[in-house]
Amino acid sequence: VLGDLRDRTTVRTGGGRGPAAARNTGLRAVSAPWVAFLDDDVQVGPRWCEQLTRDLTEASPDVAAVQGVITVPLPGGRRPTDWERGTAGLARARWITADMAYRTAVLKQVGGFDERFPRAFREDADLALRVLGAGHRIRQGGRTTRHPVRPASRWASLKHQRGNADDALMRRLHGPDWWDKAVAPRGRIRRHAAITAAGAAACALAAAGHRRAAAVCAAGWAAGTAEFARARILPGPRTRDEVTTMLVTSALIPPAATWHRLAGAWRHRNAPAWQEAAR
């Protein structure tokens, strides 16, 4: 049992620059051979410390990190909402730092977390790909950590689109096939871009007086938006509030996602691949 940790806790400030910078701040203060990372919204079990010790003891020398098993409790008696399904995906995610232990020497060898990732998104996958690229292994451990679904506003999925800028950075650092390397879902960015282009074209053509062409583009926008909304509504509870949220955000997400992706590509246009930066 971990017990009261107040006498054994040291708080260090990271300047509010995101989780990557905060973890690097903690890393600089570590002298132990292993560093264990936990997110602030997870719940460890009563035997977590014992299980962590076992995971690290059993790690062979070529294993640089041991990931915990993440469980996401979902409500019973109804289908999960879009937000709950998104959180449940963490249980299948590779290399997430919700519960991850790294060898301190390996972290310092690869330069720690990349602080250009300002959100809790992709910074863990980027680190893992650099660790694997340096010739180390990452394996799954036996310890279990619970990740409850935190409350979120109806606009949470819209705000989440900022992560598309981080996907652009991942592409610059790890190449166009980074999705496969990171074993990450590719997402719908191409469809979002097509829907956004159709909507923008419809507006431009209508303003220029090309009504027929504008109608065709508007129909394409409507069809794409309807398909997106349907894909999000059908697996959910289909309550009035959930359906309304899905309809509104499904119209707003494609342009938001496209904007953040383009902004990220421009912002990180000169970022070298991580192999080049490591030389």
Side-chain angles (χ1 to χ4, degrees):
V1 179
L2 292 175
D4 192 333
L5 298 177
R6 284 176 293 184
D7 292 338
R8 293 179 283 163
T9 301
T10 300
V11 178
R12 294 183 180 270
T13 58
R17 294 178 291 117
R23 291 170 188 146
N24 283 341
T25 298
L27 175 61
R28 287 190 287 270
V30 172
S31 58
W34 287 89
V35 183
F37 296 101
L38 288 171
D39 282 357
D40 60 357
D41 52 358
V42 301
Q43 300 169 349
V44 299
R47 298 180 58 230
W48 180 84
C49 195
E50 172 189 338
Q51 294 169 338
L52 172 66
T53 301
R54 183 183 303 114
D55 283 345
L56 304 187
T57 301
E58 294 175 352
S60 57
D62 63 330
V63 171
V66 185
Q67 180 178 341
V69 178
I70 303 298
T71 63
V72 180
L74 295 176
R78 65 165 174 80
R79 295 178 178 181
T81 64
D82 179 71
W83 177 252
E84 291 166 344
R85 294 194 305 275
T87 303
L90 296 175
R92 303 183 299 274
R94 293 281 192 97
W95 313 315
I96 59 173
T97 45
D99 183 354
M100 175 69 88
Y102 273 100
R103 291 188 189 274
T104 306
V106 172
L107 282 181
K108 294 182 177 180
Q109 173 194 347
V110 301
F113 289 88
D114 190 330
E115 297 181 13
R116 287 173 293 183
F117 291 93
R119 287 163 285 273
F121 190 69
R122 303 303 189 205
E123 86 292 350
D124 44 13
D126 164 70
L127 174 62
L129 289 181
R130 286 186 283 120
V131 167
L132 294 171
H136 305 286
R137 287 200 307 123
I138 300 175
R139 74 171 183 85
Q140 184 87 60
R143 66 191 186 280
T144 301
T145 297
R146 191 171 181 265
H147 194 306
V149 179
R150 66 179 184 273
S153 75
R154 71 192 313 164
W155 308 110
S157 59
L158 185 61
K159 295 178 181 178
H160 189 64
Q161 301 312 309
R162 297 171 182 169
N164 283 282
D166 302 320
D167 284 352
L169 178 56
M170 287 291 288
R171 181 183 175 89
R172 288 291 305 173
L173 297 177
H174 302 284
D177 61 341
W178 75 266
W179 304 92
D180 297 327
K181 295 176 183 176
V183 197
R186 183 170 291 274
R188 301 175 65 103
I189 187 60
R190 292 181 179 177
R191 295 186 187 184
H192 290 334
I195 292 170
T196 302
C203 294
L205 290 167
H210 303 293
R211 296 183 179 179
R212 182 172 298 179
V216 171
C217 291
W221 172 86
T225 301
E227 184 278 329
F228 182 38
R230 180 178 182 274
R232 301 172 72 206
I233 290 171
L234 287 183
R238 306 182 197 177
T239 60
R240 177 179 296 181
D241 185 67
E242 176 74 359
V243 171
T244 301
T245 299
M246 293 301 99
L247 290 175
V248 174
T249 56
S250 292
L252 298 176
I253 282 175
T258 303
W259 166 257
H260 287 297
R261 183 58 179 269
L262 292 174
W266 175 258
R267 185 182 311 126
H268 302 299
R269 63 192 183 281
N270 296 321
W274 73 270
Q275 296 96 329
E276 299 175 8
R279 292 172 186 168

